[in-house]
Amino acid sequence: MARVVVDVMLKPEILDPQGQAVADALPRLGISEVASVRIGRRVEIEFTGEADLERAREIADKLLANPVIEDFAVSAPQEGPAA
Amino acid sequence: MARVVVDVMLKPEILDPQGQAVADALPRLGISEVASVRIGRRVEIEFTGEADLERAREIADKLLANPVIEDFAVSAPQEGPAA
Amino acid sequence: MARVVVDVMLKPEILDPQGQAVADALPRLGISEVASVRIGRRVEIEFTGEADLERAREIADKLLANPVIEDFAVSAPQEGPAA
Amino acid sequence: MARVVVDVMLKPEILDPQGQAVADALPRLGISEVASVRIGRRVEIEFTGEADLERAREIADKLLANPVIEDFAVSAPQEGPAA
């Protein structure tokens, strides 16, 4: 088994009200050194065999991200001994 | 400005129906080598000064993750020249 | 075509940090009369024929809600002339 | 205490890949009478006094919905005896 991670974030020019809400709530916690917060999705895909970045990209294209409003990045994290 | 990333995922023992839906939809796309899909949140926090992992952890504890059902991991990605 | 709506909310005893963040951000907007905010999912299912609440419940059970942490409610909104 | 509900959905012309994934997974469950699935957010705001639809609309505008990609609707559900 091998994991591929797909990170899906709103494009930078798209407003993220949920991230904004978190940022706006920070001063009440005494936290003032944060400029912005953006909330996206992290999708972990476990492959039965080898990590297949190309396949993961295809899945992201079709079922995980909306290309009009979101960007995504695909990566295969090195976690301990190679899978 | 320096970015800290907080990855929030449902604990492994908690069912993730949205990830399950994606996994169940894959065979129709001709994709059969995926064992599971889990969908969580990726939160990008931009600090005005240096990346502060301890602060990010505090924010995650209070405003980003529910410790009963979710785990989170905090990291400061190395992207190009050090921030 | 007929629509069925499935509302999925975290159970009342489960902390909702994203809703909490919104609630915590309100005083900065000058809003003080809100006791709590909870954020869930609203799923709109369009049936090709008649609205089928039983089917919608089955879909919710299997693909939309996690019964350990979430409750859901199924309804067929009356919107203008019957669909 | 009185509840106001804000339903936030992607605009109809914006693709919803998560809803699409649920729709694509249905045939494997033997369900074929669904034309589409759209997944949005349902936000429950509890007011300390009376339900204030105007306030809820303001909160939605600023912290819950992105007007470029999402529509929202505000309502005060009648649940049992008036709040």
Side-chain angles (χ1 to χ4, degrees):
Chain A
M1 295 257 288
R3 174 176 300 176
V4 174
V5 172
V6 182
D7 290 317
V8 184
M9 301 299 292
L10 282 172
K11 287 176 189 291
E13 69 272 20
I14 304 270
L15 191 76
D16 170 15
Q18 294 192 280
Q20 189 59 46
V22 172
D24 285 355
L26 297 179
R28 286 193 76 202
L29 301 178
I31 298 175
S32 59
E33 60 273 54
V34 168
S36 79
V37 177
R38 307 271 297 171
I39 302 180
R41 289 193 298 288
R42 173 187 165 94
V43 185
E44 298 181 350
I45 302 173
E46 300 285 347
F47 284 87
T48 50
E50 281 183 45
D52 187 336
L53 294 177
E54 209 38 66
R55 267 303 202 209
R57 204 164 284 123
E58 189 189 337
I59 295 169
D61 253 338
K62 290 186 179 150
L63 292 176
L64 301 178
N66 178 339
V68 176
I69 55 173
E70 295 169 325
D71 292 323
F72 68 84
V74 169
S75 60
Q78 254 81 49
E79 298 175 295
Chain B
M1 295 258 287
R3 174 176 300 177
V4 174
V5 172
V6 181
D7 290 317
V8 183
M9 302 298 293
L10 282 172
K11 287 177 189 289
E13 67 272 20
I14 304 272
L15 192 74
D16 170 14
Q18 292 191 281
Q20 188 61 44
V22 172
D24 285 356
L26 296 179
R28 284 192 76 201
L29 301 179
I31 298 174
S32 59
E33 59 272 53
V34 168
S36 79
V37 177
R38 307 271 296 171
I39 300 180
R41 290 193 298 288
R42 172 187 168 92
V43 185
E44 298 180 351
I45 302 173
E46 299 285 346
F47 284 87
T48 50
E50 279 182 47
D52 187 335
L53 294 177
E54 209 39 66
R55 265 305 200 209
R57 204 164 283 123
E58 189 190 337
I59 295 170
D61 253 338
K62 289 185 180 151
L63 292 176
L64 301 177
N66 178 338
V68 175
I69 55 173
E70 295 168 326
D71 293 323
F72 68 84
V74 170
S75 60
Q78 254 81 49
E79 299 175 293
Chain C
M1 294 257 288
R3 174 177 299 176
V4 174
V5 172
V6 182
D7 290 317
V8 183
M9 302 298 293
L10 283 172
K11 287 176 189 289
E13 68 271 20
I14 305 271
L15 192 75
D16 169 15
Q18 293 190 282
Q20 188 60 45
V22 172
D24 285 356
L26 296 179
R28 286 193 76 203
L29 302 178
I31 297 174
S32 60
E33 60 272 54
V34 168
S36 78
V37 177
R38 307 270 297 171
I39 301 180
R41 291 192 298 287
R42 174 188 165 94
V43 185
E44 298 180 350
I45 302 173
E46 300 285 347
F47 284 88
T48 50
E50 281 182 45
D52 187 336
L53 295 177
E54 209 39 66
R55 266 306 201 208
R57 204 164 284 123
E58 189 188 337
I59 294 169
D61 253 338
K62 290 185 179 150
L63 293 176
L64 301 178
N66 178 338
V68 176
I69 56 173
E70 295 168 325
D71 292 322
F72 69 83
V74 170
S75 60
Q78 255 80 49
E79 298 176 295
Chain D
M1 295 258 286
R3 174 176 301 175
V4 174
V5 172
V6 182
D7 291 316
V8 184
M9 302 297 295
L10 283 172
K11 286 178 190 288
E13 68 272 20
I14 304 272
L15 192 75
D16 170 15
Q18 293 191 281
Q20 188 61 45
V22 171
D24 286 355
L26 296 179
R28 283 192 78 202
L29 302 178
I31 297 174
S32 59
E33 59 272 54
V34 168
S36 79
V37 177
R38 307 272 296 173
I39 300 181
R41 291 192 298 287
R42 173 188 166 92
V43 185
E44 298 181 351
I45 303 174
E46 300 284 347
F47 284 87
T48 49
E50 280 182 46
D52 188 335
L53 294 177
E54 208 40 65
R55 266 304 202 209
R57 203 164 285 124
E58 189 189 336
I59 296 170
D61 253 339
K62 289 185 179 151
L63 293 176
L64 301 177
N66 178 337
V68 176
I69 55 173
E70 294 168 326
D71 292 321
F72 68 84
V74 170
S75 60
Q78 254 81 48
E79 299 176 295

